[in-house]
Amino acid sequence: MPSRKASEISVRFLKKVSFLNLTRMRIEKAYQDKYLHLRDAESSYAGLFLQAVLAYEAAVELLVLGLVVHPNGIKSRNTQVRPRIQVRSYAHALELAAGPGRDFADWIGKEQLLDRANMFLREGRPFSSLSDADWSYVAKSRYIRNAIAHPSKSALDKFTKKVIGSTPLPPRERTVYGYLRGAGAAGQTRWELYVAGLSVVVGLVAN
């Protein structure tokens, strides 16, 4: 099987988040038509956000591992994106990425991702070329994900400190569920803004 284009990963991710957004729109209409309670609608936003983050992690994992698999891996059209090592299977690449005694690797954290990129790819490209603004969406998405999936006091405190910060918000939007449904810039929900930010990142690295 020949190598696949990195851009296929971006296309697949965009299809996934477009489907999630259609679901979000149906949920919003159901709430507006009074078929759902507000809490139910907000919980749905959280579930859809987790799915978007999982899709992002899957896209990044496939890209990084695929770039070092040869043959039958992933090929980027960016000539500056080159592997530092080559392995023959995705299973071997994942074993290296996860580290000793672990079955999975964390792909949402900036530091962890850059460490793996520098280990597998020359000069960490394409991830080392991302701007601070691009990384901001990734970093904040991680805090939001953790506050949803593992709502410990520590996770919720980090969400408040790192995501909300000093932004004045109504009490309901200071919860992770209400925050995602709340309005951000240009009349979009924050769910839409963060998913758009992740989409930009995937589009920049998978081309």
Side-chain angles (χ1 to χ4, degrees):
M1 183 177 68
S3 296
R4 289 175 291 172
K5 296 178 181 179
S7 58
E8 293 177 15
I9 296 174
S10 179
V11 170
R12 187 184 308 171
F13 178 80
L14 289 175
K15 285 182 178 179
K16 174 65 176 180
V17 297
S18 294
F19 171 78
L20 293 175
N21 190 48
L22 287 174
T23 303
R24 182 196 66 81
M25 292 170 66
R26 287 194 294 268
I27 289 168
E28 193 62 42
K29 186 176 187 308
Y31 169 70
Q32 298 297 338
D33 292 342
K34 303 187 185 305
Y35 290 113
L36 284 178
H37 294 295
L38 178 56
R39 178 63 180 176
D40 296 331
E42 291 175 341
S43 295
S44 298
Y45 270 75
L48 291 172
F49 187 78
L50 284 181
Q51 291 187 61
V53 171
L54 287 172
Y56 166 84
E57 291 184 278
V60 170
E61 177 179 89
L62 180 59
L63 176 65
V64 175
L65 301 186
L67 287 170
V68 301
V69 171
H70 182 79
N72 307 329
I74 300 290
K75 184 172 180 60
S76 174
R77 64 185 176 188
N78 184 344
T79 57
Q80 293 186 317
V81 176
R82 294 178 296 165
R84 292 188 65 215
I85 63 171
Q86 289 186 341
V87 298
R88 296 191 65 83
S89 73
Y90 280 88
H92 187 193
L94 179 57
E95 183 180 337
L96 293 174
R102 299 188 62 191
D103 295 325
F104 305 99
D106 182 358
W107 299 102
I108 189 69
K110 175 183 176 180
E111 291 77 15
Q112 295 91 332
L113 179 50
L114 283 176
D115 285 345
R116 291 190 182 91
N118 286 320
M119 179 172 66
F120 287 138
L121 308 170
R122 294 188 182 277
E123 298 184 20
R125 294 193 181 101
F127 298 94
S128 59
S129 300
L130 292 173
S131 69
D132 289 341
D134 296 325
W135 281 119
S136 174
Y137 283 105
V138 177
K140 289 184 178 181
S141 292
R142 184 188 189 196
Y143 293 121
I144 296 171
R145 180 204 67 175
N146 289 346
I148 297 170
H150 312 287
S152 64
K153 184 179 184 303
S154 175
L156 294 174
D157 285 347
K158 286 181 179 178
F159 164 75
T160 300
K161 180 179 179 181
K162 301 291 187 178
V163 178
I164 294 179
S166 60
T167 305
L169 294 175
R172 191 166 198 106
E173 292 184 24
R174 295 186 70 83
T175 68
V176 66
Y177 296 92
Y179 178 81
L180 288 171
R181 186 176 173 272
Q188 291 183 304
T189 65
R190 296 187 187 92
W191 187 96
E192 293 173 274
L193 294 174
Y194 277 97
V195 171
L198 293 178
S199 298
V200 168
V201 170
V202 173
L204 288 172
V205 298
N207 60 38

